Amino acid sequence: MEEGNIGFFAALWRFFTLYKLRKTLGLVRAADRQFSGSVEGISDAFDITHDDMVTRYKGFRDAVSQVEAIAEQKRARFEDLNTEETDLIRKRDGAIALAEKAKTANDTAAYDKHAKAYEAFQLRIDEIETEQAQLETELKELGGTMDKYLMQLSEMQREIQRLPKQKAEEIAKFITSKQIISLNDRLQNLQTSLERGPIDVVLKANRELSAKARISEKLSGADVKLQDAQYDKEGKTAAARGKLDAILAARAAEKDAKSGTKKPEERPDLVRQ
């Protein structure tokens, strides 16, 4: 019983899921027909796409601008470090010169002072060079990323600029195709109209009437009598031809008898004639 309930609820859940899916697809198809069924729909489709692409372009451009701002900050930081390093190198060289003089003069206190200054300058220079190396790597990576972003922005910009032309072309295609379909429909209707014209009706009626007349003549009594007369005439001709053949045969036999070659056969019917 429980398995049956589970199967029922599973089937019910599948029914409603598929129903919702079909409703969604139906709405999508209906929306598609709104855009593809008229010039206004096509125009709206391109306008909506244009506005959407412009919005995405602006958002992407703003994000790229923020990345560029970060890169600019890093470049500015790199320049500041260069300036600071140049100043520290000059001071470090001064500390070296003073330490050298103190050592020559055997001035230990002065030497220690200048040596500590040198160490501080050199430590900071080392830190700057480490940070500069890191900034160079980051700026190089950002440069490649920015090139990719700028290329994408350029492609989006070209696509946006192409939309008005593409819109005009697609509207022209739609109108042309609709006109061709309309002309083909009119041509088909015109051909149908010509086939059903009055002349075709008259010719067809006369053909049918002539056929009926021939059948009527063949089946009429006059036609049967004509056949009987033809049969009687042919019979009489055949009978006359038979009598002629018999007479000729008798005459030939008589001649043969007189010449002694053959005794003629007596034909009572020929004697009477």
Side-chain angles (χ1 to χ4, degrees):
M1 187 66 180
E2 292 181 357
E3 292 181 357
N5 291 334
I6 293 174
F8 170 76
F9 286 114
L12 188 63
W13 178 84
R14 186 168 59 253
F15 169 78
F16 281 109
T17 301
L18 294 176
Y19 175 77
K20 291 179 180 179
L21 179 60
R22 291 198 63 190
K23 289 287 288 183
T24 302
L25 293 175
L27 292 175
V28 172
R29 285 191 290 268
D32 290 344
R33 286 193 295 270
Q34 287 182 350
F35 290 121
S36 61
S38 66
V39 173
E40 292 79 8
I42 294 174
S43 179
D44 291 342
F46 275 92
D47 291 342
I48 291 172
T49 302
H50 178 273
D51 294 342
D52 179 65
M53 289 189 67
V54 168
T55 300
R56 290 190 289 116
Y57 172 82
K58 289 181 178 180
F60 192 66
R61 182 192 60 191
D62 293 342
V64 173
S65 298
Q66 292 176 2
V67 175
E68 176 61 23
I70 294 173
E72 187 62 31
Q73 290 176 358
K74 291 181 180 295
R75 283 191 289 267
R77 175 59 179 168
F78 189 84
E79 292 299 327
D80 291 341
L81 289 173
N82 281 340
T83 302
E84 183 182 358
E85 184 182 25
T86 301
D87 181 64
L88 289 170
I89 290 174
R90 185 173 61 252
K91 292 178 179 178
R92 181 197 64 182
D93 292 342
I96 292 173
L98 292 174
E100 186 178 14
K101 289 180 180 180
K103 186 175 183 180
T104 301
N106 291 322
D107 189 347
T108 304
Y111 178 81
D112 290 340
K113 175 183 175 182
H114 300 318
K116 288 180 180 179
Y118 166 80
E119 291 173 357
F121 293 145
Q122 186 60 49
L123 180 62
R124 179 56 185 157
I125 290 172
D126 292 340
E127 292 176 352
I128 289 174
E129 290 179 349
T130 300
E131 188 175 355
Q132 284 177 330
Q134 183 178 354
L135 285 173
E136 284 181 344
T137 302
E138 292 176 357
L139 286 171
K140 184 177 180 181
E141 292 175 352
L142 280 175
T145 303
M146 286 298 299
D147 289 342
K148 181 176 65 176
Y149 290 163
L150 291 174
M151 185 182 298
Q152 183 63 34
L153 279 173
S154 298
E155 180 60 30
M156 292 177 69
Q157 191 175 38
R158 284 193 294 270
E159 185 65 25
I160 291 172
Q161 292 173 351
R162 280 198 298 263
L163 280 177
K165 180 181 178 182
Q166 189 179 7
K167 172 183 175 181
E169 291 175 351
E170 293 304 320
I171 289 176
K173 287 180 184 179
F174 177 80
I175 294 175
T176 302
S177 299
K178 292 285 287 185
Q179 289 297 327
I180 290 174
I181 294 173
S182 176
L183 287 172
N184 286 336
D185 291 342
R186 290 172 62 184
L187 179 61
Q188 291 176 359
N189 292 334
L190 178 62
Q191 291 174 341
T192 302
S193 176
L194 289 176
E195 290 173 357
R196 296 178 181 177
I199 295 178
D200 285 342
V201 172
V202 171
L203 295 177
K204 181 179 179 182
N206 282 344
R207 287 194 296 269
E208 293 177 353
L209 186 61
S210 298
K212 290 180 180 179
R214 287 193 298 271
I215 296 299
S216 177
E217 183 177 0
K218 289 181 180 180
L219 296 178
S220 64
D223 192 51
V224 174
K225 291 179 181 179
L226 178 61
Q227 290 181 3
D228 291 344
Q230 290 176 345
Y231 294 151
D232 183 66
K233 180 180 178 181
E234 187 66 24
K236 289 179 179 180
T237 300
R241 188 175 299 132
K243 289 181 180 180
L244 176 61
D245 292 340
I247 292 173
L248 293 176
R251 290 173 63 86
E254 185 179 357
K255 289 180 180 181
D256 293 338
K258 289 181 180 182
S259 61
T261 57
K262 187 178 181 179
K263 184 178 179 179
E265 296 179 359
E266 291 185 1
R267 295 284 303 276
D269 56 339
L270 294 178
V271 173
R272 284 194 299 272
Q273 292 178 359

